[in-house]
Amino acid sequence: MKRDFTRREFIKISGMGLGGLAASGSLLKFASDVLGSGNASPHKVLRTPTYCEMCTFKCAGWAYRLDGKPWKIIGNENDQHCYGHLCTKGSAGFGAYDDPDRLKTPLIRMQERGKQVFKEVSWDEAFNYIASKLKKIAKEHGPECVALLTHGTGGSFFKTFLQGYGSDNIAAPSYANCRGPREEAYLLTFGDAISTPERTDMRNSKCIVLIGSHIGENTHSSQVYEFGQAVQRGATIITVDPRFSVAASKSKYWLPIKPGTDVALLLAWINVIVEEELYDKEYIKRYAIGFDELRKAVKDDTPEWAYSITTIKPEIIRETAREMARYLPATLIHPGRHVVWYGDDTQRVRAGAVLNALLGSWGRKGGFFMPVEPDIPEYPRPQFPKPKRSWRDAFPGKYELANLALSSGICEATIPSVSRDCNFKGWIVYGTNLLHALPDRKKTIEAIQNLELLVVVDILPSEISGWADVVLPECTYLERYDDLRTEWGRESQIALRMPAFKPKYNTKPAWWIAKQLANKMGLGQYFSWKNIEEYLDYRLKKAGSSLREMQEIGVKVLKRETPLYLAKGEEVKFDTPSGKIELYSQTLKDYGFDPVPRYAPHEEPPKGYYRLLYGRSPSHSFGRTTNNPLLTQMDPENEIWINTDVSKEWGLKDGQYLRLENQDGVVSNRVKVKVTERIRTDCVYMVHGFGHDQKKMKRSYMKGASDTGLITRTKVDPIMGGVGMRANFVTFSV
Ligand SMILES: Nc1nc2c(c(=O)[nH]1)N[C@H]1C(S)=C(S)[C@@H](COP(=O)(O)OP(=O)(O)OC[C@H]3O[C@@H](n4cnc5c(=O)[nH]c(N)nc54)[C@H](O)[C@@H]3O)O[C@H]1N2
Ligand SMILES: Nc1nc2c(c(=O)[nH]1)N[C@H]1C(S)=C(S)[C@@H](COP(=O)(O)OP(=O)(O)OC[C@H]3O[C@@H](n4cnc5c(=O)[nH]c(N)nc54)[C@H](O)[C@@H]3O)O[C@H]1N2
Ligand code: SF4
Ligand SMILES: [Mo]
């Protein structure tokens, strides 16, 4: 197949030189200048609104066709997820559309699971197969024994399907394996979550503290954009990271902390701010409870104490604490995003939340703004049946502070055990490659082997699809409508995704798949709309717009009725049990946890081993883009970062290949060595999303190594079940 872009053309469009951020609006002008406008032009330029699905941040943009062919995708300037700037991956959306390895037609498994022997079937055959299995499971075990594992927009239609069927067991790895502890920590402290996009007011911050968050490599557009604005304004950036990240390179202070010891640093900062009385006294007095208990708890957590644990010098800890206080309340301790590190993650993030409270940054300019979101009624449908059981029943007395279902919990509860009266029998998997997203692959495969039905809805023959009984090929986001984007932010906004192209091959959008399957199951009443246009138009009219208007504008900004920040001296009731910001959490105490975060040491790497750290490439989203024809040209494989001294000790050279072996004897694929001063000597680092072992994804097959494969050990957060994945150590096998 002929591709539509050359590499050079793509790099130009995606603006790689700008730290992963793409240029945008000006290209539009370029288009009309070069091509002429009006009837005289020999070329036809058409644009349709979309929001991006290259990751799940949903930046709104425009997909351009030139003479009917893919041309470029750029950001929508009214969009608060991206401010008109898509990241490199977002600009490469046509690569997903054009990938010749895409799933092309529904498949049913013919031989044992994992052998990948499938027959091509019609949609109707696939639906008949799934419907008969689902009916059997409902009859024999109850509909609650089916779970939906989902990540991505179209998943919402399968949620409706599953709830109509009678199960509420809906989980996303982006909770237990990503940001769950963050949401729970902020709920416990301030009574509200951080969510997506983050309510961080970085564009106005005077001081930003990044604990691990590697913004710039993590390229969520508005986060990078606002961070960039802060850097340009000369805000103080303090980055805590064992690795000299891109963010660290923009920072006034880089604190190369010993991995796993951040709680000690955070407590020492709290100690300095409390003991030197640098906190926002009026704010704390008015809004917070538990200050005296906090002061008592951190009394001995001095910078000198923290030095021996973190390796960060006491004078630097004091200096950075004073710097934070100097700019309060416009100081932001960034809450992080992928926070499942060491199993004490809710407490670590809570220590940051407590620090934010002391600095008075919640609800204040330069700290955290008060987000708003559109309130659009659902399309009318009957009440869902009330499930008799939930995933929680599989874990009596555990993870009671989790507010969402745990993907890892569902996986565990699928493996038969005498202590459970029901195990999961069916999974519907939408847009999540569980063999890369969940650690401990052996366990994931064991769970899968105990299923009576595994349905995978994907665009690519991902590893998880290889284990499916039925594979349903979705069309890419550029070929479909989806539900409205209604995420919160500074403004209340609605964004529309509509097709730029007809679906290629025999692929279909999620809304169609879920609706057809519902009809087959006799659940059509939950999808009573005629087609997606009618569904969207109904909802949009309720919000004072219409499908027609949205097709023109892409993003609708609704009037904001409430202030962005707290007013001076405003009385506020926080949504916590006490109605105040809880520096001391009685809830945690009641559940048997530390009411004020405390430090506990983590296991050290054995001699000759290094802690395995992982993160993001600016030009890939997890493993979902590592087969993208445009992006693989830029970043074809990952590397293992090894400190220069360590490389000398082992006689390793930059650019050579080796294998990694973890503490349990698991050996990785071959991976290229990057010798660098930019990482400590006690750890190594790699980008997640490489090392695919799915032959059908030709460009990514066996390219680089998989961090997931090496993560056989986890540390589960006892508070909410988040799965800490940085508990693994590797050595080199040359
Ligand atoms: N080892 C390790 N594990 C991790 C992480 C890590 O860094 N290291 N990161 C964690 C984090 S932060 C998160 S959020 C999770 C994310 O992990 P996942 O939830 O698995 O997310 P992705 O990898 O983005 O999902 C990929 C799947 O969605 C498919 N897909 C892409 N677009 C579409 C579409 O439009 N429709 C459908 N139906 N499918 C589509 C892709 O082909 C791919 O199979 O992983 C977590 N797990
Ligand atoms: N380009 C791109 N951008 C993305 C994504 C993507 O796939 N690609 N995924 C998105 C998603 S869903 C998420 S959740 C985010 C994840 O991105 P973030 O939330 O920003 O990153 P983390 O995975 O928490 O952290 C990675 C960093 O933590 C450092 N680190 C490792 N161990 C420690 C430690 O013990 N202490 C400290 N202080 N630092 C440590 C690593 O060196 C690395 O720099 O990125 C989002 N943005
Ligand atoms: S951050 Fe990038 S990949 Fe993610 S939605 Fe935005 S443009 Fe797309
Ligand atoms: Mo994530």
Side-chain angles (χ1 to χ4, degrees):
M1 180 195 289
K2 190 177 167 303
R3 267 209 324 274
D4 293 280
F5 290 122
T6 63
R7 177 171 188 260
R8 185 185 302 176
E9 276 164 349
F10 173 65
I11 290 174
K12 214 164 64 190
I13 290 175
S14 77
M16 269 299 272
L18 300 171
L21 269 188
S24 65
S26 55
L27 282 170
L28 191 59
K29 184 167 176 309
F30 164 80
S32 54
D33 288 351
V34 169
L35 303 166
S37 51
N39 297 336
S41 168
H43 295 289
K44 200 165 148 211
V45 177
L46 280 175
R47 69 171 197 183
T48 38
T50 186
Y51 57 86
C52 181
E53 190 81 16
M54 295 298 282
C55 82
T56 49
F57 202 65
K58 301 190 183 130
C59 299
W62 299 104
Y64 275 82
R65 280 158 294 163
L66 176 60
D67 297 332
K69 295 245 172 62
W71 180 27
K72 65 180 181 184
I73 307 175
I74 62 172
N76 184 320
E77 290 187 343
N78 294 326
D79 177 32
Q80 61 191 355
H81 290 229
C82 76
Y83 310 119
H85 300 265
L86 300 184
C87 78
T88 309
K89 306 162 298 159
S91 307
F94 290 135
Y97 165 72
D98 259 343
D99 190 336
D101 293 343
R102 279 174 59 175
L103 290 170
K104 297 182 177 71
T105 197
L107 304 170
I108 291 183
R109 180 168 65 81
M110 297 304 290
Q111 284 186 18
E112 67 192 82
R113 277 211 185 97
K115 281 244 157 115
Q116 301 215 51
V117 182
F118 293 103
K119 77 168 170 194
E120 296 190 354
V121 296
S122 67
W123 281 98
D124 208 46
E125 280 172 275
F127 291 144
N128 282 336
Y129 184 97
I130 298 168
S132 75
K133 288 270 184 177
L134 284 178
K135 283 181 186 160
K136 183 166 174 282
I137 294 174
K139 194 160 153 223
E140 291 175 4
H141 310 283
E144 301 86 353
C145 289
V146 177
L148 170 66
L149 295 136
T150 171
H151 195 209
T153 316
S156 67
F157 295 104
F158 289 93
K159 282 184 193 167
T160 305
F161 173 81
L162 198 77
Q163 286 174 302
Y165 171 72
S167 170
D168 231 347
N169 292 312
I170 298 164
S174 52
Y175 179 74
N177 304 84
C178 176
R179 61 191 175 84
R182 174 183 87 173
E183 308 308 350
E184 303 310 341
Y186 275 77
L187 273 167
L188 285 162
T189 313
F190 296 103
D192 208 352
I194 298 295
S195 201
T196 306
E198 283 78 359
R199 59 198 296 169
T200 45
D201 197 23
M202 280 193 284
R203 66 155 78 140
N204 294 307
S205 302
K206 296 191 178 130
C207 175
I208 299 175
V209 183
L210 298 178
I211 320 238
S213 310
H214 57 338
I215 297 176
E217 286 153 290
N218 153 1
T219 56
H220 279 174
S221 300
S222 57
Q223 287 278 303
V224 182
Y225 192 74
E226 291 203 20
F227 180 68
Q229 285 178 317
V231 170
Q232 272 186 352
R233 272 190 297 99
T236 295
I237 314 291
I238 301 167
T239 297
V240 184
D241 198 311
R243 188 179 65 96
F244 190 68
S245 60
V246 169
S249 74
K250 312 283 176 218
S251 301
K252 179 167 174 188
Y253 297 94
W254 171 43
L255 279 50
I257 196 165
K258 179 170 168 183
T261 66
D262 298 75
V263 178
L265 173 66
L266 284 155
L267 293 176
W269 272 337
I270 294 174
N271 170 290
V272 174
I273 285 171
V274 167
E275 290 305 319
E276 297 189 9
E277 301 201 5
L278 301 173
Y279 55 96
D280 187 333
K281 295 205 187 70
E282 199 195 320
Y283 184 93
I284 289 295
K285 191 160 164 242
R286 187 181 297 274
Y287 295 130
I289 57 155
F291 181 79
D292 292 338
E293 289 92 337
L294 175 70
R295 168 174 246 162
K296 215 165 123 203
V298 301
K299 199 166 87 18
D300 298 325
D301 300 344
T302 59
E304 286 69 22
W305 163 79
Y307 173 45
S308 61
I309 298 167
T310 61
T311 74
I312 307 297
K313 293 207 170 89
E315 56 273 23
I316 295 289
I317 298 180
R318 286 209 167 78
E319 198 176 315
T320 44
R322 289 172 193 150
E323 187 90 0
M324 289 176 216
R326 180 170 309 139
Y327 298 111
L328 71 77
T331 295
L332 175 79
I333 315 299
H334 195 287
R337 185 171 179 98
H338 175 73
V339 291
V340 285
W341 297 357
Y342 302 99
D344 54 359
D345 305 305
T346 304
Q347 293 288 18
R348 185 189 68 252
V349 180
R350 208 176 106 73
V354 166
L355 199 50
N356 273 312
L358 291 172
L359 296 164
S361 65
W362 187 261
R364 308 285 283 282
K365 191 169 177 183
F368 296 85
F369 59 79
M370 298 304 198
V372 284
E373 63 194 339
D375 180 18
I376 311 180
E378 294 296 320
Y379 194 95
R381 54 155 176 80
Q383 285 254 305
F384 293 130
K386 206 170 160 13
K388 294 188 194 72
R389 279 168 289 150
S390 103
W391 66 275
R392 283 187 199 278
D393 300 332
F395 301 96
K398 282 173 104 179
Y399 318 131
E400 285 170 285
L401 292 170
N403 278 299
L404 290 175
L406 302 168
S407 41
S408 42
I410 284 174
C411 192
E412 202 171 314
T414 303
I415 299 168
S417 130
V418 279
S419 61
R420 295 191 184 106
D421 56 4
C422 174
N423 300 101
F424 285 97
K425 306 290 180 195
W427 291 359
I428 299 174
V429 175
Y430 177 92
T432 168
N433 189 1
L434 297 176
L435 292 162
H436 275 255
L438 301 185
D440 196 354
R441 263 186 200 160
K442 248 167 80 189
K443 199 172 179 182
T444 312
I445 291 172
E446 191 186 345
I448 289 172
Q449 294 293 32
N450 279 291
L451 288 170
E452 290 179 17
L453 177 68
L454 173 57
V455 179
V456 170
V457 189
D458 208 303
I459 57 169
L460 281 173
S462 55
E463 278 82 356
I464 186 73
S465 76
W467 291 87
D469 302 321
V470 187
V471 182
L472 301 179
E474 193 177 18
C475 52
T476 65
Y477 72 102
L478 292 165
E479 301 159 288
R480 67 185 200 235
Y481 278 111
D482 251 305
D483 211 337
L484 303 170
R485 192 200 77 186
T486 56
E487 264 77 0
W488 74 9
R490 288 192 182 85
E491 292 176 341
S492 177
Q493 295 195 339
I494 309 170
L496 177 74
R497 169 185 292 164
M498 69 176 287
F501 306 101
K502 284 209 191 81
K504 274 193 188 179
Y505 318 114
N506 188 18
T507 64
K508 298 284 185 190
W511 65 263
W512 183 89
I513 304 172
K515 185 170 160 65
Q516 299 302 312
L517 192 55
N519 287 343
K520 269 281 183 256
M521 295 281 300
L523 301 171
Q525 66 272 30
Y526 298 105
F527 296 82
S528 61
W529 26 279
K530 264 206 303 295
N531 52 36
I532 192 74
E533 287 90 345
E534 195 223 323
Y535 170 89
L536 293 172
D537 199 45
Y538 173 91
R539 295 199 70 203
L540 284 164
K541 290 210 166 111
K542 294 273 174 199
S545 180
S546 66
L547 183 55
R548 208 185 169 126
E549 184 192 38
M550 289 301 291
Q551 287 170 339
E552 293 295 315
I553 60 176
V555 171
K556 173 113 179 154
V557 182
L558 306 174
K559 196 167 173 302
R560 188 182 168 125
E561 309 281 352
T562 52
L564 192 56
Y565 308 112
L566 297 176
K568 199 168 163 39
E570 183 180 338
E571 283 310 318
V572 183
K573 194 166 178 325
F574 292 84
D575 203 6
T576 55
S578 64
K580 300 268 182 188
I581 297 172
E582 301 201 342
L583 304 175
Y584 176 98
S585 168
Q586 187 62 41
T587 307
L588 283 174
K589 175 103 167 78
D590 291 346
Y591 281 93
F593 304 115
D594 290 329
V596 169
R598 307 303 306 138
Y599 171 74
H602 295 292
E603 197 185 337
E604 304 269 335
K607 200 169 167 3
Y609 282 77
Y610 306 87
R611 191 181 290 276
L612 176 66
L613 309 184
Y614 54 82
R616 306 283 173 245
S617 154
S619 33
H620 285 294
S621 294
F622 319 99
R624 71 158 63 196
T625 61
T626 42
N627 201 60
N628 181 297
L630 295 168
L631 297 172
T632 45
Q633 291 182 56
M634 284 183 202
D635 189 2
E637 63 187 311
N638 58 355
E639 297 172 317
I640 183 85
W641 291 40
I642 300 174
N643 176 276
T644 313
D645 291 345
V646 176
S647 74
K648 283 191 192 133
E649 223 175 280
W650 285 80
L652 301 174
K653 296 262 169 311
D654 192 57
Q656 82 170 86
Y657 283 81
L658 51 68
R659 290 176 197 275
L660 301 168
E661 182 175 342
N662 82 353
Q663 72 283 329
D664 297 325
V666 173
V667 179
S668 79
N669 206 3
R670 274 158 37 92
V671 60
K672 201 186 215 174
V673 170
K674 175 185 170 107
V675 173
T676 175
E677 301 281 348
R678 288 173 57 187
I679 189 161
R680 288 173 58 103
T681 53
D682 49 8
C683 50
V684 293
Y685 172 84
M686 68 201 282
V687 160
H688 167 68
F690 286 93
H692 282 286
D693 55 11
Q694 167 59 284
K695 279 194 180 138
K696 295 176 182 175
M697 298 200 293
K698 296 190 195 66
R699 262 167 260 98
S700 57
Y701 177 62
M702 290 296 175
K703 290 282 168 56
S706 161
D707 59 333
T708 310
L710 294 164
I711 301 177
T712 49
R713 222 184 256 182
T714 58
K715 296 277 176 212
V716 177
D717 189 327
I719 298 178
M720 49 60 69
V723 185
M725 299 195 278
R726 292 191 181 145
N728 293 267
F729 309 117
V730 294
T731 190
F732 311 120
S733 160
V734 185

